[in-house]
């Protein structure tokens, strides 16, 4: 089943979003402004879009695998979560970036990606003294290879 997402663009200088069937279910987002950053700077990079996500879904926004290599920036909150209530006419999406080196990000550069996920179901927790499964060996126990 295909979901439809209503989208508002804040500029015509970025390529429109597209879903590429069979390649990845992550969709690239682009910088909607020319951004200069010095090492140590923080900026909210505008992504030029606002969206109305389907009810019961949220968007997960993360850097592309090449973002740090190409631009020397990291996302300050590691992963952004945008829920379906952030859908007003002025609710533009942003990428919170911290620069580890001087950099320039140009309009239309692909800097992050998103996918939508269904909300987590309601959960309850049941306390127990024993889980009854084999231990894996502790944190970081799967080795270096």
């Amino acid at each position: 089943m295909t979901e439809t997402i209503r989208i508002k663009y804040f500029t015509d200088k970025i390529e429109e979003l597209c879903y590429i069937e069979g390649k990845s279910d992550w969709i690239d987002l682009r910088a909607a402004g020319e951004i200069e950053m010095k090492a140590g700077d923080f900026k909210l990079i505008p992504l030029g879009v606002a969206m109305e996500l389907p009810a019961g879904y949220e968007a997960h926004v993360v850097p592309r695998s090449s973002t740090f290599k190409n631009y020397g920036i990291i996302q300050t909150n590691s992963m952004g979560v945008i829920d379906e209530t952030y859908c007003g006419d002025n609710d533009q999406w942003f990428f919170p970036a911290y620069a580890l080196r001087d950099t320039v990000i140009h309009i239309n550069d692909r800097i992050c990606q998103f996918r939508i996920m269904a909300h987590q179901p309601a959960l309850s927790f049941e306390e127990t003294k024993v889980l009854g499964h084999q231990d894996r060996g502790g944190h970081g126990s799967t080795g270096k290879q």
Side-chain angles (χ1 to χ4, degrees):
M1 178 174 95
T2 300
E3 294 281 354
T4 298
I5 296 177
R6 292 178 23 164
I7 185 167
K8 175 185 175 182
Y9 290 95
F10 289 85
T11 179
D12 60 1
K13 294 180 180 174
I14 60 171
E15 289 182 33
E16 292 185 357
L17 300 188
C18 67
Y19 179 79
I20 302 171
E21 186 80 30
K23 183 177 178 197
S24 171
D25 57 358
W26 290 85
I27 299 162
D28 289 337
L29 294 165
R30 298 168 181 275
E34 189 82 8
I35 307 294
E36 277 192 53
M37 298 177 74
K38 300 287 185 200
D41 283 352
F42 167 80
K43 290 199 176 166
L44 288 173
I45 300 173
L47 299 173
V49 295
M51 294 184 217
E52 180 182 68
L53 300 176
Y57 285 85
E58 63 195 24
H60 294 180
V61 180
V62 299
R64 296 180 76 241
S65 60
S66 60
T67 298
F68 180 76
K69 176 183 64 110
N70 292 341
Y71 305 104
I73 59 173
I74 58 174
Q75 185 173 356
T76 58
N77 56 348
S78 300
M79 180 181 89
V81 177
I82 300 171
D83 69 42
E84 78 269 28
T85 65
Y86 190 72
C87 60
D89 281 336
N90 295 304
D91 287 341
Q92 180 173 194
W93 291 17
F94 290 86
F95 181 81
Y98 180 78
L100 292 159
R101 60 176 155 90
D102 294 357
T103 190
V104 176
I105 300 157
H106 301 287
I107 294 173
N108 208 42
D109 282 349
R110 295 180 299 161
I111 58 168
C112 58
Q113 57 192 338
F114 82 100
R115 69 182 309 201
I116 66 169
M117 303 288 293
H119 287 194
Q120 178 171 277
L123 302 172
S124 64
F125 296 92
E126 177 184 315
E127 185 175 353
T128 183
K129 299 286 184 203
V130 177
L131 294 174
H133 302 284
Q134 182 177 350
D135 291 341
R136 286 191 43 199
H139 181 76
S141 63
T142 57
K144 293 183 179 182
Q145 301 287 329

